[in-house]
């Protein structure tokens, strides 16, 4: 805060500057961005502070598109739909769904980026030791691999990796993390004796790592992506109606295991 007590330094930001009749976002007049900048590119500009173009922009947008929805069984979607039957507004229903995203539901992408970066730092030739050390700290589950529903393959992952491979050919990304992800997949499959394919979290983590995103942003971008599905489901449930819908139909009861 400045010596004269001016409150202008209480908040400091390089994101936006404005005065009456002027709005600049990351140093660019908003009117120059409107109609010339795609929404995914705008997200990148606002969050990362620079422009993303060409194959890098296509990769980023593909990652956002791939994770928009996973149906009413996904906790974030189910919560939003239930909230929509409780008399709250659309934004409250969306907030309910977004608040379900945590370390387990929504956090695997962040964890996968961190894992990939550790493998890169320690060397791919030391992969078994790196994975063993990771599991000692975080448990046997390796983020970004396997899926309880999509077997034997998550249909989103191969397409995303294909796009990464294409971008690596043009030099837009290095392709390093795609190689790391595939190596982890092979290792787990050999270790368990059955396919354990990369899932959506592992594939989007490859893209975010290739684009140079810190791990926490992988979770943040997933939240942005999933908010599209949350909005769609909350709006659909609002249109369908219903009152105070719980997670199961009323005829079903829970198990009581008290005295």
């Amino acid at each position: 805060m400045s010596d004269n007590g001016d409150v202008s330094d209480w908040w400091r930001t390089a994101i936006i500057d404005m005065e009456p009749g002027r709005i600049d976002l990351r140093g660019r007049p908003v009117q120059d961005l409107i109609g010339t900048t795609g929404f995914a590119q705008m997200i990148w500009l606002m969050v990362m502070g620079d422009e993303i173009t060409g194959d890098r922009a296509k990769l980023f947008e593909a990652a956002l598109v791939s994770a928009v929805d996973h149906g009413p069984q996904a906790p974030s979607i189910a919560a939003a739909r239930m909230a929509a039957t409780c008399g709250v507004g659309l934004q409250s229903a969306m907030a309910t769904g977004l608040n379900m995203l945590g370390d387990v539901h929504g956090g695997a992408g962040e964890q996968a980026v961190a894992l990939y970066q550790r493998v890169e730092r320690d060397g791919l030739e030391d992969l078994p030791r790196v994975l063993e050390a990771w599991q000692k700290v975080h448990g046997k589950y390796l983020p970004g691999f396997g899926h309880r529903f999509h077997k034997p393959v998550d249909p989103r992952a191969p397409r995303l990796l294909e796009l990464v491979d294409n971008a690596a050919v043009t030099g837009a990304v290095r392709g390093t993390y795609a190689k790391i992800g595939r190596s982890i997949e092979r290792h787990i499959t050999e270790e368990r004796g059955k396919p354990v394919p990369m899932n959506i979290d592992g594939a989007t983590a490859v893209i975010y790592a290739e684009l140079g995103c810190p791990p926490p942003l992988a979770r943040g971008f997933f939240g942005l992506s999933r908010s599209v599905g949350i909005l769609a489901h909350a709006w659909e449930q609002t249109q369908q109606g219903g009152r105070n819908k719980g997670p199961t139909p009323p005829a079903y009861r829970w198990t009581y295991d008290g005295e």
Side-chain angles (χ1 to χ4, degrees), residues 118-136:
R118 179 166 179 178
V119 172
E120 182 188 29
R121 184 186 70 232
D122 292 359
L124 196 56
E125 66 280 357
D126 207 16
L127 180 62
R129 185 197 63 79
V130 174
L131 296 183
E132 182 180 359
W134 176 277
Q135 290 171 315
K136 284 182 179 179

Side-chain angles (χ1 to χ4, degrees), residues 13 16 38 47-48 65 70 93 101 103 112 149 152-153 201 214 226 240:
T13 179
I16 184 170
V47 176
M48 302 298 289
V65 167
H70 200 248
L101 301 178
D103 290 342
F149 183 79
V153 63
D201 298 308
R226 183 51 59 88
Q240 289 177 355

Side-chain angles (χ1 to χ4, degrees), residues 15 17 23-33 37 42 45 49-52:
I15 298 173
D17 185 27
I23 303 173
D24 290 351
L25 299 171
R26 295 291 189 183
R28 297 157 176 82
V30 68
Q31 62 268 26
D32 294 346
L33 295 168
T37 305
M42 193 65 206
L45 175 65
D50 58 5
E51 293 183 351
I52 188 168

